Amino acid sequence: ELLWDLRNIKRARDDIGFRGVKGTTGTQASFLTLFDGDHAKVKALDKRVTELMGFAYAYPVTSQTYSRKVDIDVLAPLASFGATAHKIATDIRLLANLKEMEEPFEKDQIGSSAMAYKRNPMSANRRVTIPEAFLTADIVLSTLQNISEGLVVYPKVIARRISEELPFMATENVIMAMVKAGGDRQQAHEEASAVVKQEGKPNDLISRIKATAYFKPIHDQLDALLDPATFVGRAPEQVDEFIQECVTPIREAYKEQLHSAKQVELNV
């Protein structure tokens, strides 16, 4: 079983992917700006950086932090090792009960306070419940199915939120435009964020850019830079690629189960 655990840990290690060059929000918008809208170049850069970092592949969808599912993939083999350790501990306790074996007795360790000859096990104690974990997972999956089947989206509210947050979202586009125009990235970043972060004032980024001589090289680009459509980067293409390359094969593999699946209703 320890050899199985070694195999599982090696598999998890070998299966770890690279975050890639996805940008702060994962849409690769800044890279798309750098390459003047050339999606192929952005994908090529992502692939090349992944190879240079020594990874076989990059995760198709991720933000500036990797998915915590990666942590689960890494921890699962360790949990499997824990099951092996549990078995070993149980065997030791059973054999200790028969006085055929016992744990190492440390120098300052005390056995039973009433029976000096008795050596109570200190390390080989563990308790595990598994059926409850599967029942919980089933409940969670049913809840997720119920939510996803009845999910309601409000486009007008989304549009209002985008309008309110546009000055914050525009920062990266403005900085990238300044860099392309010959400006310093750090200075552009400080100019764009000083009032909002240091003085705690409302985000007046757009009006300050228009009134600041430092940003004069990109004043004629502001309308294009503030177009909400420019902030999605490769998000639409990423979604299409993810569905085609990752989701569709899974749906095909489980098409019979999906066909027979029933709608979930929750009593709340």
Side-chain angles (χ1 to χ4, degrees), residues 70-71 145 156 191:
V70 178
D71 291 343
Q145 181 182 342
K156 291 184 178 180
E191 290 280 349

PDB file of all heavy atoms in Angstrom, residues 70-71 145 156 191:
ATOM      1  N   VAL A  70      -6.374  22.220  -7.428  1.00  0.00           N
ATOM      2  CA  VAL A  70      -5.013  21.691  -7.537  1.00  0.00           C
ATOM      3  C   VAL A  70      -4.534  21.228  -6.168  1.00  0.00           C
ATOM      4  O   VAL A  70      -3.881  20.181  -6.039  1.00  0.00           O
ATOM      5  CB  VAL A  70      -4.053  22.755  -8.103  1.00  0.00           C
ATOM      6  CG1 VAL A  70      -2.634  22.216  -8.178  1.00  0.00           C
ATOM      7  CG2 VAL A  70      -4.519  23.205  -9.481  1.00  0.00           C
ATOM      8  N   ASP A  71      -4.869  22.007  -5.130  1.00  0.00           N
ATOM      9  CA  ASP A  71      -4.510  21.597  -3.776  1.00  0.00           C
ATOM     10  C   ASP A  71      -5.150  20.260  -3.425  1.00  0.00           C
ATOM     11  O   ASP A  71      -4.530  19.408  -2.782  1.00  0.00           O
ATOM     12  CB  ASP A  71      -4.964  22.659  -2.765  1.00  0.00           C
ATOM     13  CG  ASP A  71      -4.163  23.940  -2.892  1.00  0.00           C
ATOM     14  OD1 ASP A  71      -3.086  23.906  -3.498  1.00  0.00           O
ATOM     15  OD2 ASP A  71      -4.622  24.975  -2.356  1.00  0.00           O
ATOM     16  N   GLN A 145     -26.770  20.915  -8.709  1.00  0.00           N
ATOM     17  CA  GLN A 145     -27.589  20.671  -9.900  1.00  0.00           C
ATOM     18  C   GLN A 145     -28.857  21.511  -9.843  1.00  0.00           C
ATOM     19  O   GLN A 145     -29.256  22.128 -10.834  1.00  0.00           O
ATOM     20  CB  GLN A 145     -27.947  19.192 -10.010  1.00  0.00           C
ATOM     21  CG  GLN A 145     -28.783  18.862 -11.250  1.00  0.00           C
ATOM     22  CD  GLN A 145     -29.171  17.400 -11.321  1.00  0.00           C
ATOM     23  OE1 GLN A 145     -28.574  16.564 -10.652  1.00  0.00           O
ATOM     24  NE2 GLN A 145     -30.181  17.091 -12.122  1.00  0.00           N
ATOM     25  N   LYS A 156     -29.251  43.462 -17.147  1.00  0.00           N
ATOM     26  CA  LYS A 156     -29.263  44.904 -16.911  1.00  0.00           C
ATOM     27  C   LYS A 156     -28.501  45.271 -15.641  1.00  0.00           C
ATOM     28  O   LYS A 156     -27.835  46.317 -15.576  1.00  0.00           O
ATOM     29  CB  LYS A 156     -30.701  45.418 -16.842  1.00  0.00           C
ATOM     30  CG  LYS A 156     -31.435  45.362 -18.186  1.00  0.00           C
ATOM     31  CD  LYS A 156     -32.822  45.971 -18.085  1.00  0.00           C
ATOM     32  CE  LYS A 156     -33.517  45.953 -19.448  1.00  0.00           C
ATOM     33  NZ  LYS A 156     -34.879  46.536 -19.372  1.00  0.00           N
ATOM     34  N   GLU A 191       0.536  56.910 -11.014  1.00  0.00           N
ATOM     35  CA  GLU A 191      -0.306  58.032 -11.431  1.00  0.00           C
ATOM     36  C   GLU A 191      -1.782  57.627 -11.424  1.00  0.00           C
ATOM     37  O   GLU A 191      -2.655  58.409 -11.054  1.00  0.00           O
ATOM     38  CB  GLU A 191       0.091  58.494 -12.834  1.00  0.00           C
ATOM     39  CG  GLU A 191       1.443  59.173 -12.918  1.00  0.00           C
ATOM     40  CD  GLU A 191       1.387  60.621 -12.468  1.00  0.00           C
ATOM     41  OE1 GLU A 191       0.282  61.145 -12.290  1.00  0.00           O
ATOM     42  OE2 GLU A 191       2.462  61.215 -12.272  1.00  0.00           O
TER      43      GLU A 191
END
